[in-house]
Amino acid sequence: MEALYAITTGILTASGVYLTLRGRTFPVVVGLTLLSYAVNLFLFSMGGLTTHGAALVGTNENYADPLPQALVLTAIVIGFAMTAFAIILAMRSRGDLGSDSVDGSRTDREDPRENKA
């Protein structure tokens, strides 16, 4: 099970980094979302896999650690807010610049070689 977690986290991280380095805003947003999923899996895996563990301390000598679960829940909320902010920022950038490019080039709206005078 740990190998599956490690492989999945590695694939999500690699895909997220690849998409984050793209030149358009939509793949960057998707890449950031995949990176947040990878971080969530990493945080959850740090708690270890506990099977047949009690949810409350004191009822059983084998219990599940609630700290990684709380950290992942907090990271999900923060990741959702970050994704919503990145989407709104990308929409605003597209509206103001007229381009979907990350570096702000205006190639979608007008050609700089074209003379409008």
Side-chain angles (χ1 to χ4, degrees), residues 11-32:
I11 289 172
L12 281 174
T13 303
S15 301
V17 168
Y18 175 76
L19 287 173
T20 303
L21 296 175
R22 305 307 306 162
R24 299 287 197 189
T25 55
F26 182 72
V28 170
V29 171
V30 172
L32 288 174

Side-chain angles (χ1 to χ4, degrees), residues 60-93:
N60 192 359
E61 60 186 52
N62 187 18
Y63 64 93
D65 188 14
L67 183 64
Q69 297 171 11
L71 286 174
V72 168
L73 184 61
T74 305
I76 288 171
V77 172
I78 292 171
F80 180 72
M82 184 225 25
T83 303
F85 177 72
I87 288 172
I88 295 301
L89 193 64
M91 290 172 58
R92 176 70 188 255
S93 172

Side-chain angles (χ1 to χ4, degrees), residues 5 9 13 35 39 46 48 59 76 87 99 102:
Y5 260 79
T9 305
T13 303
L35 280 173
V39 168
M46 288 297 102
T59 58
I76 288 171
I87 288 172
S99 174
V102 174

Side-chain angles (χ1 to χ4, degrees), residues 1-7 48-49:
M1 188 65 152
E2 287 84 8
L4 179 64
Y5 260 79
I7 290 170
L49 180 63

